[in-house]
């Protein structure tokens, strides 16, 4: 089944403890992206990647890192999480990111205390 | 700054009613307009991606139209059913094929 697999679904962590949210797609998509969703705000892009080893900042990249060493994986790294990073995170992929629809992962609800 | 706006913010209809919502976006440097359906506790699911002025797409009881010159798109649901209850998001990547700007969505509740 074509899908974007995101883990974990839920995570509660403490301020400053490094964490990684994994994202993997099995559709050979070139484009992958991370979003965060907060109440009253639309989906905001954190980082995106056009292809392997090609990543770029979105609208809200501060406090996050990403890597794209393989086409299928696009992990989101929070080196030192803070409470303002408590949010619902989505990974999405698309064949090329242009006129193709995005396939979303199931989301990760992160709470930083 | 690019803004994508959706109206209404929320909508309650009775089963069987037909309904529609609006997405407005900057018309300059238009590239594509996306519609997604987002059910509670699930992830957004692509409905349509539209690129041509005057385009109309249909998927079952849901259809969408696009006017790129004036910068708006309508999403129509014919004969709403309770399972249509969801938030409907639109997004535009006008001028930049690598980045979508998202609206805040229209939350639809269909009462049986």
């Amino acid at each position: 089944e074509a899908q974007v697999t995101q883990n974990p679904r839920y995570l509660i962590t403490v301020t400053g403890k490094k964490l990684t949210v994994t994202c993997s797609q099995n559709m050979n998509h070139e484009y992958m992206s991370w979003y965060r969703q907060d109440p009253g705000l639309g989906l905001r892009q954190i980082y995106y990647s056009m292809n392997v080893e090609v990543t770029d900042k979105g609208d809200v990249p501060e406090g996050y890192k990403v890597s794209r060493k393989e086409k299928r994986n696009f992990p989101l790294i929070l080196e030192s999480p803070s409470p303002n990073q408590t949010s619902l995170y989505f990974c999405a992929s698309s064949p090329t990111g242009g006129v193709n629809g995005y396939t979303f992962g199931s989301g990760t609800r992160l709470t930083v205390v | 700054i690019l803004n994508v706006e959706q109206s209404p913010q929320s909508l309650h209809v009775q089963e069987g009613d037909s309904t529609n919502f609006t997405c407005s976006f900057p018309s300059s440097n238009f590239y594509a307009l996306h519609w997604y359906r987002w059910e509670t506790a699930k992830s957004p699911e692509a409905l349509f991606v539209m690129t041509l002025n005057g385009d109309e797409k249909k998927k079952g009881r849901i259809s969408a139209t696009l006017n790129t010159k004036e910068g708006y798109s309508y999403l129509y649901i014919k004969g709403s059913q309770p399972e249509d209850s969801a938030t409907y998001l639109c997004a535009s990547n006008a001028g930049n094929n690598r980045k979508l700007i998202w609206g805040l969505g229209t939350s639809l509740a269909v009462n049986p």
Side-chain angles (χ1 to χ4, degrees), chain B residues 40-52:
Chain B
T40 302
K42 295 187 178 180
S43 50
E45 182 182 316
L47 287 172
F48 308 113
V49 180
M50 308 172 79
T51 57
L52 299 175

Side-chain angles (χ1 to χ4, degrees), chain B:
Chain B
I1 294 178
L2 207 65
N3 275 332
V4 174
E5 297 181 353
Q6 293 187 246
S7 62
Q9 186 175 354
S10 65
L11 197 53
H12 292 255
V13 301
Q14 290 299 124
E15 182 175 355
D17 288 350
S18 293
T19 187
N20 65 85
F21 346 117
T22 305
C23 173
S24 62
F25 54 89
S27 55
S28 59
N29 299 316
F30 176 80
Y31 195 83
L33 190 284
H34 296 229
W35 279 102
Y36 289 78
R37 181 170 178 272
W38 191 1
E39 288 182 74
T40 302
K42 295 187 178 180
S43 50
E45 182 182 316
L47 287 172
F48 308 113
V49 180
M50 308 172 79
T51 57
L52 299 175
N53 184 45
D55 201 7
E56 182 170 345
K57 295 208 172 182
K58 190 173 180 181
K59 192 173 185 177
R61 293 180 291 99
I62 304 176
S63 61
T65 60
L66 179 67
N67 183 321
T68 61
K69 294 181 191 273
E70 296 180 42
Y72 64 84
S73 174
Y74 292 135
L75 188 80
Y76 299 92
I77 302 179
K78 186 177 178 182
S80 302
Q81 300 297 309
E83 57 264 31
D84 295 328
S85 298
T87 296
Y88 292 83
L89 297 172
C90 74
S92 172
N93 47 0
N96 185 339
N97 69 341
R98 295 171 291 181
K99 181 177 173 180
L100 284 178
I101 305 297
W102 296 81
L104 297 183
T106 293
S107 175
L108 173 67
V110 182
N111 301 318

Side-chain angles (χ1 to χ4, degrees), chain A residues 30-61:
Chain A
E30 292 184 352
Y31 182 91
M32 297 184 76
S33 180
W34 276 103
Y35 291 94
R36 61 178 288 174
Q37 166 72 43
D38 301 292
L41 301 174
L43 285 167
R44 293 184 293 167
Q45 189 176 51
I46 302 170
Y47 270 94
Y48 65 95
S49 170
M50 293 294 290
N51 214 323
V52 176
E53 302 291 2
V54 181
T55 63
D56 210 345
K57 295 178 181 179
D59 297 314
V60 289

Side-chain angles (χ1 to χ4, degrees), chain A residues 10-77:
Chain A
Y10 302 93
L11 180 60
I12 301 174
T13 190
V14 295
T15 299
K17 185 177 180 182
K18 181 180 178 180
L19 67 91
T20 298
V21 184
T22 63
C23 175
S24 180
Q25 50 93 4
N26 61 1
M27 297 166 281
N28 202 36
H29 284 173
E30 292 184 352
Y31 182 91
M32 297 184 76
S33 180
W34 276 103
Y35 291 94
R36 61 178 288 174
Q37 166 72 43
D38 301 292
L41 301 174
L43 285 167
R44 293 184 293 167
Q45 189 176 51
I46 302 170
Y47 270 94
Y48 65 95
S49 170
M50 293 294 290
N51 214 323
V52 176
E53 302 291 2
V54 181
T55 63
D56 210 345
K57 295 178 181 179
D59 297 314
V60 289
E62 296 78 19
Y64 305 95
K65 285 174 60 177
V66 293
S67 67
R68 188 93 182 270
K69 296 177 183 175
E70 315 163 87
K71 202 169 190 177
R72 62 185 294 125
N73 295 324
F74 190 45
L76 179 70
I77 303 154

